[in-house]
Amino acid sequence: DGVTEVLAHRSDNLRDKFIEIPCSEDYDSHRRFEGCTPRKCGRGVTDAVITREEAERIRRIAERGLSLGGSDGGASILDLHSGALSLGKHFVNLYRYFGDKVQDIFTEEDFALYRDVRQRIQQRIAQVFGISSSAMYLTKPTFFSRMNSTGAKTTHDEYWHPHVDKVTYGSFDYTSLLYLSDYSEDFGGGRFVFMDADSNKTVEPRAGRVSFFTSGSENLHRVEKVQWGTRFAITISFTCDPEHGIGDPVLG
C-alpha cells in the first residue's frame, strides 16, 4: 500500500481535526446547489459530537435489528429508512417481513436518539464546510453495517474495494460514518483508509467517533478487511438535491 499515515488513532480524543483538500471535478457533472454543493472539500474527524454512551445505545439498535437476519458473508446491512436487512445471501424488507414484531424490537426512544444523532452530525458537517444545515438533506443509502472476518458469499460482502461515493451514488455530496465499536479492542483490521496519490491516510474506529468528508473523487477510500471480532458503524449520507432527500425513519 506504500506510505500510510494515521489521521486518527483509536487512543486519540479529537475535538476537531479537519484537512482541506482540492475538490475533484465530480460535482461539475451534477446540478449545483448554491450554499450546499462543496466549494471547499476535505475530510474531518471528531470525537466531540456523539458520546461513547450514545454510540453504545445506537449499537444496541443495530444489534437488535441485525439479530433478525444477517448475511452469510462478512458484511450485514440494516437500513431503518428503506427497511433493507441482510438475510442469508439476500435482502428482505424488515417492516414487511417482520410486520408488527418490529414494535417489539425497536422503541420510539431508539428512533428519537437516531434522529438526534443524525441532526448533530449534519450540523457539524455544515459548520465545518461553511454551508447551511437546512440546505442539506439526508439521502439514501443511510445504513448500519456489521462486519466480521467471515469470507464473502456475494458481491455485497466485498466491502474492501476502493470507491468514490459520488460515483457510486450520484446523490451523495457529504458522507459521514459514526463508529460504534473500537479498533483493536472489538475487532482487528477494518480501519478506514483514504487513498491519496502520495500516501494512504487511515482512521482507526472508536465508539462515538465521527469521520466525515466530501463525497467526490478527492476522497477515494476503502475499508480494510476485518481480521477478527465485529465492527459496527453507521453510514449517514447527505445530498444538496432536495429531490434525493429522504425523511428520518419512523416506527410503525
Side-chain angles (χ1 to χ4, degrees), residues 38-59:
R39 295 213 171 273
K40 162 177 155 179
C41 291
R43 49 188 76 145
V45 183
T46 177
D47 295 314
V49 175
I50 310 300
T51 67
R52 286 183 71 84
E53 191 262 340
E54 286 167 330
E56 278 166 26
R57 285 168 57 201
I58 290 268
R59 189 183 75 223

Side-chain angles (χ1 to χ4, degrees), residues 8-81:
H9 290 91
R10 193 208 73 185
S11 55
D12 297 339
N13 190 353
L14 301 167
R15 260 217 82 66
D16 272 304
K17 181 166 190 170
F18 181 73
I19 291 140
E20 189 169 345
I21 45 180
C23 292
S24 63
E25 291 169 6
D26 295 353
Y27 307 98
D28 299 340
S29 54
H30 294 265
R31 188 174 155 205
R32 297 190 81 91
F33 292 86
E34 213 37 64
C36 180
T37 299
R39 295 213 171 273
K40 162 177 155 179
C41 291
R43 49 188 76 145
V45 183
T46 177
D47 295 314
V49 175
I50 310 300
T51 67
R52 286 183 71 84
E53 191 262 340
E54 286 167 330
E56 278 166 26
R57 285 168 57 201
I58 290 268
R59 189 183 75 223
R60 287 199 289 273
I61 299 173
E63 286 171 340
R64 291 200 303 273
L66 285 161
S67 71
L68 297 171
S71 159
D72 289 342
S76 297
I77 296 298
L78 166 66
D79 180 337
L80 290 179
H81 301 266

Side-chain angles (χ1 to χ4, degrees), residues 120-161:
R120 276 186 272 158
I121 291 172
Q122 183 167 345
Q123 281 157 357
R124 179 55 60 100
I125 293 173
Q127 195 186 337
V128 169
F129 286 102
I131 60 174
S132 162
S133 169
S134 59
M136 298 165 70
Y137 301 88
L138 192 62
T139 192
K140 62 182 185 195
T142 280
F143 57 91
F144 289 105
S145 57
R146 181 183 72 195
M147 295 173 183
N148 59 34
S149 57
T150 310
K153 303 289 191 285
T154 70
T155 51
H156 290 295
D157 295 319
E158 296 182 19
Y159 55 80
W160 51 82
H161 299 297

Side-chain angles (χ1 to χ4, degrees), residues 67-101:
S67 71
L68 297 171
S71 159
D72 289 342
S76 297
I77 296 298
L78 166 66
D79 180 337
L80 290 179
H81 301 266
S82 68
L85 171 70
S86 301
L87 190 66
K89 293 187 174 64
H90 308 281
F91 288 94
V92 294
N93 183 313
L94 170 81
Y95 302 118
R96 281 208 294 274
Y97 200 81
F98 294 99
D100 294 342
K101 266 207 248 164

